[in-house]
């Protein structure tokens, strides 16, 4: 059986080749996909070759137009065996897209869209994988390859695309890629923007202990001053994501980790930084949230707040199923939200792989993976409608 590989922040690349788009017959949506309020199951991914495609990223350009990206992957003797997958939402139903031939080896892990005719999906770096990006111009898909080791992508226009990579930042001007050195010593983990002269990137500072932010003003990148996060002994604050909703509403989220001398494991605590258009500040995360958790995904809520995925990171590698909570901050109040129950699922196996707001709305997409009652890996997409 071909196994799924799901990632959080991933790797990319971008070259050239043209082909058309075809839409395969769409499996029926799961029950609960009607436009009722709250979290609901929108789409149950079809099983193919004994497994379903994992979804790692969603790029939406409106309530009636979204793309979901992922795929399957198995590495045999250092060679990747697997293909990327793309699915399209037309406002009523999901359907699987036919990607151009030759199909790349690997899977999609990050995505961004500036419009219905400018959608990017990038691949993840893995042993034996190709590095590539897929681009949708509103009519056809094409492959674009050549940018290695990327973690996120921000498409501002067809001729203005930024990619965050370990070594720095890559920029697509519509014809070619240009590399910009990372402003800090530890590379870039995430990039987001709201305009050609308003782009943010985040990564670990030179000391490896604090997050740092860089800002693109349309001409050059410069490091910005962030609040110093108070750290426990031997702790570090690791940024996961930067989210830019508007010029006066930018978020950096991540987690503080430090060694626990009692358990010999790592302890975790989430942190959130906010830019209000004038200065950065640290948001006070309430102690009432579940303990020993860390934010690994975040997206805007269409207002003054955000949705975050709070994960019990300490249990990773211990054989204990990590707990997960969806946390909503509306600008003043924190709440913990529950996802709907998945029929025929094994309790404790659901894992959300991302949170993606629909621009200019309060709607959110959340792809997830789980095991059915027989232990078979399966995948679906949740949707939030206020």
């Amino acid at each position: 059986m071909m196994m799924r590989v799901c990632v959080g922040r991933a790797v990319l690349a971008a070259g050239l080749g043209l082909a058309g788009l075809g839409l395969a017959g769409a499996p029926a949506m799961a029950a609960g996909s009607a436009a009722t309020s709250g979290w609901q199951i929108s789409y149950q991914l079809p099983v193919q070759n004994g497994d379903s495609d994992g979804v790692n990223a969603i790029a939406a350009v409106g309530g009636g137009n979204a793309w979901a990206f992922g795929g399957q992957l198995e590495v045999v003797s250092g060679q990747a065996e697997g293909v990327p997958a793309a699915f399209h939402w037309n406002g009523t139903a999901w359907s699987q897209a036919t990607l151009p031939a030759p199909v790349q080896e690997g899977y999609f892990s990050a995505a961004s869209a500036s419009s219905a005719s400018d959608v990017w999906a990038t691949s993840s770096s893995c042993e034996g994988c190709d590095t590539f990006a897929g681009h949708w111009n509103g009519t056809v898909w094409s492959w674009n390859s050549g940018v290695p080791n990327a973690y996120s992508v921000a498409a501002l226009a067809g001729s203005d695309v930024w990619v965050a990579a370990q070594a720095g930042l890559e920029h697509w001007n519509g014809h070619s890629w240009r590399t910009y050195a990372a402003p800090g010593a530890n590379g870039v983990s995430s990039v987001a923007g709201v305009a050609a002269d308003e782009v943010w990137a985040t990564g670990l500072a030179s000391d490896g202990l604090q997050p740092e932010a860089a800002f693109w003003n349309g001409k050059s990148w410069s490091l910005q001053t962030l609040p110093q996060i108070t750290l426990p002994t031997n702790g570090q604050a690791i940024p996961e994501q930067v989210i830019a909703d508007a010029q006066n509403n930018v978020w950096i989220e991540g987690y503080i980790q430090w060694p626990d001398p009692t358990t010999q494991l790592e302890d975790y605590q989430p942190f959130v930084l906010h830019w209000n258009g004038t200065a950065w500040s640290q948001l006070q995360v309430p102690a009432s949230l579940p303990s020993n958790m860390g934010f690994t995904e975040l997206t805007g809520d269409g207002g003054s707040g955000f949705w975050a995925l709070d994960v019990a990171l300490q249990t990773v590698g211990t054989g204990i199923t990590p707990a997960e909570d969806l946390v909503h901050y509306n600008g003043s109040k924190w709440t913990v939200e529950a996802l709907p129950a998945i029929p025929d699922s094994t309790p404790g196996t659901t894992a959300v792989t991302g949170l993606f707001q629909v621009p200019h709305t309060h709607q959110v997409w959340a792809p997830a993976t789980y095991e059915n009652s027989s232990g078979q890996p399966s995948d679906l997409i949740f949707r939030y409608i206020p």
Side-chain angles (χ1 to χ4, degrees):
M1 180 182 71
M2 184 168 288
M3 298 301 294
R4 288 173 299 99
V5 176
C6 292
V7 297
R9 225 74 26 229
V11 187
L12 126 79
L16 207 53
L18 297 174
L21 166 74
L23 292 179
M29 290 195 301
S33 58
T36 55
S37 62
W39 284 100
Q40 59 193 249
I41 297 173
S42 174
Y43 184 54
Q44 182 76 50
L45 272 69
V47 174
Q48 301 171 147
N49 301 320
D51 200 0
S52 60
D53 292 304
V55 169
N56 304 312
I58 295 178
V61 293
N65 192 352
W67 292 89
F69 302 95
Q72 297 180 353
L73 178 70
E74 184 178 38
V75 178
V76 179
S77 300
Q79 179 60 47
E81 296 180 3
V83 294
F87 305 85
H88 184 245
W89 167 257
N90 65 5
T92 303
W94 287 94
S95 56
Q96 186 163 7
T98 300
L99 294 169
V103 178
Q104 308 294 303
E105 293 281 4
Y107 59 98
F108 290 125
S109 57
S112 182
S114 67
S115 70
S117 58
D118 182 44
V119 183
W120 291 80
T122 63
S123 74
S124 177
S125 174
C126 63
E127 184 182 15
C129 288
D130 296 332
T131 52
F132 56 88
H135 179 246
W136 171 250
N137 67 3
T139 304
V140 297
W141 279 97
S142 62
W143 295 116
N144 188 312
S145 61
V147 181
N149 301 323
Y151 300 118
S152 73
V153 56
L156 305 174
S159 59
D160 191 6
V161 181
W162 287 96
V163 167
Q166 178 61 33
L169 291 133
E170 304 284 342
H171 183 253
W172 173 255
N173 64 9
H175 303 285
S176 60
W177 291 95
R178 176 181 175 183
T179 301
Y180 290 80
N186 286 305
V188 181
S189 60
S190 181
V191 63
V194 295
D197 59 352
E198 188 97 12
V199 185
W200 293 91
T202 189
L204 268 177
S206 299
D207 60 8
L209 302 178
Q210 295 280 342
E212 69 181 8
F215 180 74
W216 172 259
N217 62 7
K219 296 180 180 179
S220 62
W221 285 95
S222 60
L223 286 176
Q224 305 296 295
T225 301
L226 294 179
Q228 280 288 111
I229 296 175
T230 301
L231 298 175
T233 302
N234 297 321
Q236 62 179 153
I238 300 174
E240 282 282 292
Q241 242 180 319
V242 58
I243 299 294
D245 287 338
Q247 291 180 333
N248 63 349
N249 194 21
V250 181
W251 305 93
I252 293 177
E253 58 85 15
Y255 53 88
I256 303 167
Q257 73 172 39
W258 67 97
D260 187 325
T262 302
T263 64
Q264 305 302 312
L265 297 171
E266 297 287 324
D267 283 339
Y268 294 89
Q269 176 184 336
F271 74 83
V272 179
L273 304 177
H274 183 244
W275 170 258
N276 64 5
T278 303
W280 284 94
S281 61
Q282 184 173 357
L283 187 65
Q284 184 64 43
V285 178
S288 58
L289 286 182
S291 62
N292 211 11
M293 307 277 273
F295 289 164
T296 59
E297 299 285 343
L298 185 143
T299 195
D301 67 357
S304 56
F306 56 79
W307 288 91
L309 180 64
D310 202 16
V311 179
L313 298 169
Q314 187 187 52
T315 60
V316 173
T318 65
I320 303 172
T321 302
E324 290 191 349
D325 288 310
L326 279 182
V327 175
H328 184 218
Y329 174 71
N330 67 3
S332 60
K333 180 182 178 181
W334 294 80
T335 56
V336 177
E337 304 280 343
L339 289 168
I342 303 172
D344 193 41
S345 65
T346 300
T349 63
T350 303
V352 174
T353 56
L355 294 170
F356 306 94
Q357 180 210 354
V358 179
H360 313 300
T361 77
H362 299 286
Q363 299 180 29
V364 178
W365 294 107
T369 180
Y370 70 98
E371 291 184 3
N372 64 21
S373 58
S374 301
Q376 177 74 27
S378 301
D379 298 86
L380 53 74
I381 298 174
F382 291 108
R383 182 189 187 192
Y384 176 78
I385 300 177

